[in-house]
Amino acid sequence: MVILITGASHTGKTLLAQKLLEKYKYPYLSADHLKMGLIRSKQTALTPCDDEELTVYLWSILKEIIKTVIENGQNIIVEGCYIPFDWQASFDEAYLRQIRYICLVMSDAYIRAHFDDILRYENAIEKRMADPDFTMELILQDNRYYLENCRQHGLDCILIDSEYDPERFCDF
């Protein structure tokens, strides 16, 4: 099985991937780690700020990793914001039966009520560099974008509206 976890920055994708790893013993691949490896090794001229271009570039690699995992009867969790909303178009039905998609979206109310907590737990799994441009307005905008695109593409999302408990999302 392949589990895809996506969503806006700070929605808990990496924490959920870690919880799934602990429960199912599936390894996980961070699209952010792949991105930074390719950038630092100068395999691409893209920068961490080139989100749209990075989605196209990284997805061309990630989708082939996913196919290889499925063909080998293996399991993996792929997490990151570089999973396009039309991801299903990359696979035929035999592959799609082996993929679970999770998009984490925080509601406006949750973000407004828990913004300090979101910042406090941003380093729960990985060490992040402080981003002075990360504001409540930015996270509100990003989460609305994910919610809107999930709806437009007929994708389910997990709406985090009252509390974030990744254990709730770990059963398949």
Side-chain angles (χ1 to χ4, degrees), residues 85-162:
F85 293 104
D86 65 347
W87 67 271
Q88 294 169 313
S90 299
F91 305 102
D92 65 29
E93 188 56 39
Y95 290 111
L96 290 172
R97 284 193 297 269
Q98 299 297 317
I99 301 171
R100 300 292 176 265
Y101 174 86
I102 300 170
C103 182
L104 299 175
V105 176
M106 293 176 175
S107 71
D108 283 11
Y110 180 87
I111 293 167
R112 292 184 196 288
H114 297 279
F115 186 70
D116 290 339
D117 293 331
I118 293 166
L119 292 177
R120 185 175 325 121
Y121 293 111
E122 71 181 354
N123 290 314
I125 301 297
E126 296 179 322
K127 303 296 180 240
R128 292 177 184 255
M129 294 174 56
D131 181 356
D133 297 327
F134 188 76
T135 63
M136 184 183 299
E137 191 52 45
L138 179 64
I139 195 169
L140 286 165
Q141 178 183 341
D142 287 351
N143 277 271
R144 290 173 190 149
Y145 171 81
Y146 273 85
L147 182 60
E148 179 182 317
N149 274 282
C150 281
R151 288 179 175 157
Q152 285 180 359
H153 290 88
L155 300 169
D156 291 331
C157 69
I158 295 174
L159 185 63
I160 302 165
D161 196 35
S162 58

Side-chain angles (χ1 to χ4, degrees), residues 2-170:
V2 173
I3 302 170
L4 302 178
I5 304 172
T6 194
S9 180
H10 289 73
T11 53
K13 299 178 297 292
T14 305
L15 179 59
L16 178 56
Q18 181 67 36
K19 295 294 183 184
L20 289 167
L21 175 147
E22 292 168 7
K23 180 172 183 170
Y24 294 106
K25 309 298 185 233
Y26 293 178
Y28 74 84
L29 172 63
S30 166
D32 282 336
H33 292 171
L34 178 60
K35 168 189 76 177
M36 291 311 299
L38 291 164
I39 290 171
R40 287 179 172 172
S41 66
K42 304 199 184 320
Q43 299 298 309
T44 180
L46 296 171
T47 72
C49 296
D50 297 324
D51 283 338
E52 289 182 32
E53 297 89 348
L54 280 166
T55 298
V56 172
Y57 181 66
L58 293 173
W59 186 246
S60 71
I61 298 166
L62 291 169
K63 70 182 179 184
E64 299 306 327
I65 291 171
I66 292 165
K67 289 175 185 175
T68 302
V69 166
I70 292 170
E71 290 162 359
N72 286 308
Q74 297 170 309
N75 305 300
I76 196 168
I77 301 160
V78 178
E79 67 89 9
C81 61
Y82 301 106
I83 299 170
F85 293 104
D86 65 347
W87 67 271
Q88 294 169 313
S90 299
F91 305 102
D92 65 29
E93 188 56 39
Y95 290 111
L96 290 172
R97 284 193 297 269
Q98 299 297 317
I99 301 171
R100 300 292 176 265
Y101 174 86
I102 300 170
C103 182
L104 299 175
V105 176
M106 293 176 175
S107 71
D108 283 11
Y110 180 87
I111 293 167
R112 292 184 196 288
H114 297 279
F115 186 70
D116 290 339
D117 293 331
I118 293 166
L119 292 177
R120 185 175 325 121
Y121 293 111
E122 71 181 354
N123 290 314
I125 301 297
E126 296 179 322
K127 303 296 180 240
R128 292 177 184 255
M129 294 174 56
D131 181 356
D133 297 327
F134 188 76
T135 63
M136 184 183 299
E137 191 52 45
L138 179 64
I139 195 169
L140 286 165
Q141 178 183 341
D142 287 351
N143 277 271
R144 290 173 190 149
Y145 171 81
Y146 273 85
L147 182 60
E148 179 182 317
N149 274 282
C150 281
R151 288 179 175 157
Q152 285 180 359
H153 290 88
L155 300 169
D156 291 331
C157 69
I158 295 174
L159 185 63
I160 302 165
D161 196 35
S162 58
E163 68 175 304
Y164 178 71
D165 178 9
E167 302 291 336
R168 294 184 328 186
F169 317 134
C170 287

